[in-house]
Amino acid sequence: MGATKTEHFTDYQNHIAILAKALGHPARIAIIEYLMKVDACICGDIVNELTLAQPTVSQHLKELKNAGLIKGNIEGNAICYCIDDKSLSKLQAYLANISDSLEKKKNNCC
Amino acid sequence: MGATKTEHFTDYQNHIAILAKALGHPARIAIIEYLMKVDACICGDIVNELTLAQPTVSQHLKELKNAGLIKGNIEGNAICYCIDDKSLSKLQAYLANISDSLEKKKNNCC
DNA sequence: TAATTAGATTGCAATATTACGATAAAGATT
DNA sequence: AATCTTTATCGTAATATTGCAATCTAATTA
């Protein structure tokens, strides 16, 4: 016990959960927002932006990358990170779909 | 160490992260989907729907409620849970905003 | 009122996450 | 080649999450 029982859920449910989970930390939200703000998708001055140690930021970037929410290009010495809109749109579409359905049903209870 | 350093982030970033985190588990995605599927927002046959023990489901429901994603009404003996569209829309709008901005910038790198 | 039913809470074990110092790897610069 | 810069990885401590058996609470029914 302690580990998530992924085998009891569909691939889709697991995938959506992985995307949401990756966004489930304020540092990672801050990283996404920083990548949005900076016009060129500049690299690891993200470390200077956040009040967290470099290894910690690196770990958060890794998790966002594993979830498919960001991409990283090696640019000589540095690494250029940026948002991968495909994964983000997938989650957005999923939530939009639920919102729309709720709109139609309009408070059928509670 | 080990605990999230919430104090280093804005209230908004923390709030979005809390919403995303609550959706960051396949069981909780399955619960949301079940509440969507059932027309009347029927209660704790959610336990029968998921392959998880009753206390585990109860805990997941609690987390969704704490994040503001669902509401629960006492209905005699049973409890009637349903989705709280406000919080869900908030997260949806947040992601939609990012998606839109990305659309405009159109692959400025990577 | 005793038994039943629906859920929540408690306590605990297993595992995951968060954070960071130290260190490693790899390209850039001198 | 030696050094600097940038980022990743390792190791480890602190904390959080996941899952469940056992138990508790409160409304319901017999």
Side-chain angles (χ1 to χ4, degrees):
Chain A
M1 312 122 200
T4 296
K5 294 196 161 178
T6 51
E7 68 274 16
H8 290 329
F9 306 99
T10 67
D11 285 352
Y12 191 64
Q13 287 168 338
N14 280 310
H15 188 242
I16 294 293
I18 283 170
L19 292 177
K21 190 176 190 175
L23 292 177
H25 191 291
R28 296 196 286 269
I29 294 292
I31 289 172
I32 294 287
E33 290 183 351
Y34 184 71
L35 289 177
M36 282 297 304
K37 197 179 69 181
V38 191
D39 230 33
C41 60
I42 304 178
C43 16
D45 31 22
I46 300 172
V47 175
N48 294 61
E49 190 72 3
L50 306 191
T51 337
L52 290 171
Q54 181 267 322
T56 308
V57 173
S58 188
Q59 199 174 273
H60 282 305
L61 286 167
K62 191 180 177 184
E63 270 167 79
L64 285 169
K65 199 160 66 178
N66 284 345
L69 286 165
I70 63 173
K71 291 180 283 189
N73 273 31
I74 298 169
E75 206 119 301
N77 203 8
I79 294 188
C80 170
Y81 277 113
C82 65
I83 299 174
D84 188 336
D85 45 343
K86 254 176 276 176
S87 291
L88 209 130
S89 300
K90 198 171 209 170
L91 183 56
Q92 192 264 316
Y94 179 79
L95 295 178
N97 189 35
I98 294 181
S99 283
D100 286 358
S101 300
L102 284 177
E103 195 71 27
K104 277 173 205 152
K105 296 196 179 180
K106 272 280 185 205
N107 302 339
N108 46 353
C109 72
C110 299
Chain B
M1 312 123 198
T4 296
K5 294 196 163 177
T6 50
E7 69 274 17
H8 290 328
F9 307 99
T10 67
D11 284 353
Y12 190 64
Q13 287 168 338
N14 280 310
H15 185 58
I16 294 293
I18 283 169
L19 292 176
K21 190 176 189 175
L23 293 177
H25 192 291
R28 295 195 286 269
I29 294 292
I31 289 172
I32 293 286
E33 290 183 352
Y34 184 72
L35 289 177
M36 281 297 305
K37 195 179 68 180
V38 191
D39 231 34
C41 60
I42 305 178
C43 17
D45 31 23
I46 300 173
V47 174
N48 294 61
E49 189 74 3
L50 306 191
T51 335
L52 289 170
Q54 181 267 322
T56 307
V57 173
S58 189
Q59 197 175 275
H60 282 305
L61 287 168
K62 192 180 177 184
E63 269 167 81
L64 285 170
K65 200 160 65 177
N66 284 345
L69 286 165
I70 63 175
K71 291 181 284 192
N73 274 31
I74 298 169
E75 207 119 301
N77 204 7
I79 295 188
C80 169
Y81 277 112
C82 66
I83 299 175
D84 188 337
D85 45 343
K86 254 176 273 175
S87 291
L88 209 130
S89 300
K90 198 171 208 169
L91 183 56
Q92 192 264 315
Y94 179 79
L95 295 179
N97 189 36
I98 294 181
S99 283
D100 286 359
S101 300
L102 284 177
E103 195 72 25
K104 278 174 204 151
K105 296 196 178 180
K106 274 278 186 204
N107 302 339
N108 46 356
C109 72
C110 299

